[in-house]
Amino acid sequence: MPIFITVIVLIIFNACQSDEAIKLGFLYSTSNTERYVKEAGFFKEYVENNGAQVLVEHGEGDEAIQYQKAIAMFDEGIDGLALIAVNANTAAAIVREGKERGVKVIAHNRLVTNCDLDFFVSGDNTAIGKMMVDEIIKAKPSGTAVILGGDKYDRNAVGMGIAINEYLKPHIQSGNIEVLYETYIEDWSIDNAAFELDQVISNTGEVPDIIFAGYDGMAQGCIQVLEKHGVEKPVYITGQDATLEGVRNIVAGKQQMTAYHPSKETAYKSAEVLMMLVNNDSGLKSMHSGFVNNGQKDVPNVRVSSIAITKDNIDKVLIQETASYTRDEVYN
């Protein structure tokens, strides 16, 4: 065989070997979160479009099951793992096991604490808290408010709660806003959010004008409580994730806004980062926008901006620009 043909064959063979050698995993927390299911699909799409293999699993909302599935992925020979932890604290065991096996591990959306995490791809919780306050004050500049944050063991919930309080503070000091009650909601649960609001209304006899709900599912729980109590006045409610139910509630005038996290952009970014880590790509150093301390180290972090969705821009952002939903899904 001529030398130049041999060289070409070797190059092609080595390239194929390289592609086949890269295998990534995307392990998210639960299929009950609509956004995570979408992002898992987009992550898979990016990885496969770039010639690598991918395994996708979720932890069924159970930290022990998620750990077992992570071990199974490691046993399958993955080179990198993108993880949305069920429990941001105990998931450190997954990271440690991965590092011992030479697997690159990044946190997607939810920071994993006290471990040697390689990277963190996230939204901006401060910006999300600010957009919630901005949109509510624009629509309802004065009144009483209840703040229902997410799970207190989720740093996303804590960061967003701090931001809501920070940007709400001038309106409280001016006397325009009075906070009746504030708490975190375990598991970001619709039922727990509904219980807390029901207790506020039942115990005080007062229906708040504003509800800062940390997630669209929690907002739905609040809407159900308001309907149960026969509330007729408008109550301005926030949300997060732009779930179909949340978007429909906005159209119906039951919810004021939701924070939309571009699923495709976020998932693609995690896939890109993880592939660069596995390939030891030096260009990754210029990608991150800062560091987040997880209790053990300063983890490189890249943030994907969210968008405030109201009745005014649902069509433009969610239907036309991102094709997140069809018109029939939203309006019928």
Side-chain angles (χ1 to χ4, degrees):
M1 182 183 291
I3 292 177
F4 74 91
I5 293 178
T6 303
V7 170
I8 292 172
V9 169
L10 285 173
I11 290 173
I12 294 172
F13 176 75
N14 288 335
C16 291
Q17 267 196 327
S18 175
D19 284 347
E20 289 175 2
I22 298 174
K23 183 185 291 185
L24 304 183
F26 189 90
L27 179 56
Y28 59 108
S29 53
T30 172
S31 61
N32 291 334
T33 302
E34 181 182 306
R35 170 189 164 198
Y36 295 161
V37 175
K38 288 183 178 180
E39 290 178 6
F42 284 127
F43 183 94
K44 184 174 187 290
E45 178 180 272
Y46 182 96
V47 172
E48 290 181 342
N49 286 347
N50 283 274
Q53 299 175 38
V54 61
L55 304 176
V56 175
E57 279 284 2
H58 65 83
E60 302 176 28
D62 185 304
E63 60 195 84
I65 291 174
Q66 187 174 51
Y67 178 79
Q68 292 167 2
K69 290 192 175 183
I71 297 303
M73 283 186 164
F74 296 147
D75 290 343
E76 285 281 331
I78 61 170
D79 303 289
L81 176 67
L83 175 67
I84 306 177
V86 171
N87 184 315
N89 298 314
T90 61
I94 294 175
V95 179
R96 285 193 291 270
E97 179 68 25
K99 300 296 286 186
E100 287 177 6
R101 299 189 188 210
V103 177
K104 302 292 185 181
V105 184
I106 71 171
H108 179 94
N109 183 61
R110 185 172 292 163
L111 185 66
V112 182
T113 58
N114 301 311
C115 59
D116 186 19
L117 196 63
D118 287 300
F119 216 95
F120 178 37
V121 177
S122 70
D124 187 332
N125 293 308
T126 299
I128 292 167
K130 181 179 186 300
M131 74 171 60
M132 286 181 172
V133 173
D134 287 348
E135 292 299 332
I136 286 295
I137 295 302
K138 189 189 305 179
K140 182 64 175 172
S142 63
T144 56
V146 166
I147 303 174
L148 302 178
D151 194 304
K152 66 182 178 181
Y153 295 109
D154 186 336
R155 287 179 60 159
N156 289 334
V158 174
M160 183 174 62
I162 290 170
I164 289 171
N165 279 282
E166 177 185 346
Y167 290 103
L168 205 55
K169 188 175 181 180
H171 305 285
I172 295 171
Q173 291 176 335
S174 70
N176 288 330
I177 299 293
E178 177 191 358
V179 176
L180 299 176
Y181 181 68
E182 177 177 5
T183 191
Y184 289 104
I185 301 298
E186 186 178 357
D187 294 330
W188 302 79
S189 161
I190 177 174
D191 293 332
N192 294 339
F195 174 81
E196 293 292 341
L197 180 62
D198 191 55
Q199 290 296 296
V200 171
I201 295 174
S202 299
N203 292 335
T204 67
E206 186 171 358
V207 176
D209 299 302
I210 298 162
I211 301 171
F212 289 97
Y215 157 64
D216 287 349
M218 291 162 53
Q220 177 62 23
C222 293
I223 290 166
Q224 290 172 359
V225 170
L226 295 174
E227 291 174 347
K228 183 186 84 170
H229 284 275
V231 175
E232 295 182 357
K233 74 171 186 177
V235 179
Y236 298 82
I237 306 176
T238 70
Q240 182 178 193
D241 279 4
T243 66
L244 181 56
E245 186 173 52
V247 172
R248 285 174 171 169
N249 282 334
I250 292 172
V251 169
K254 298 177 181 180
Q255 184 174 327
Q256 180 62 29
M257 63 80 66
T258 185
Y260 168 65
H261 313 297
S263 295
K264 185 173 184 177
E265 182 180 352
T266 306
Y268 271 34
K269 183 59 66 177
S270 280
E272 179 186 11
V273 164
L274 193 53
M275 290 191 76
M276 292 178 76
L277 277 167
V278 168
N279 287 315
N280 295 311
D281 191 326
S282 60
L284 187 60
K285 292 180 180 179
S286 63
M287 281 184 61
H288 64 78
S289 50
F291 295 86
V292 177
N293 191 279
N294 74 342
Q296 178 170 323
K297 64 180 286 191
D298 290 327
V299 182
N301 174 220
V302 61
R303 294 175 179 173
V304 179
S305 297
S306 301
I307 302 169
I309 298 295
T310 66
K311 193 177 290 188
D312 294 335
N313 67 349
I314 283 174
D315 286 17
K316 180 176 185 291
V317 177
L318 298 183
I319 297 174
Q320 297 168 14
E321 292 181 352
T322 66
S324 298
Y325 302 113
T326 65
R327 174 168 289 278
D328 281 347
E329 286 176 319
V330 172
Y331 291 100
N332 296 323

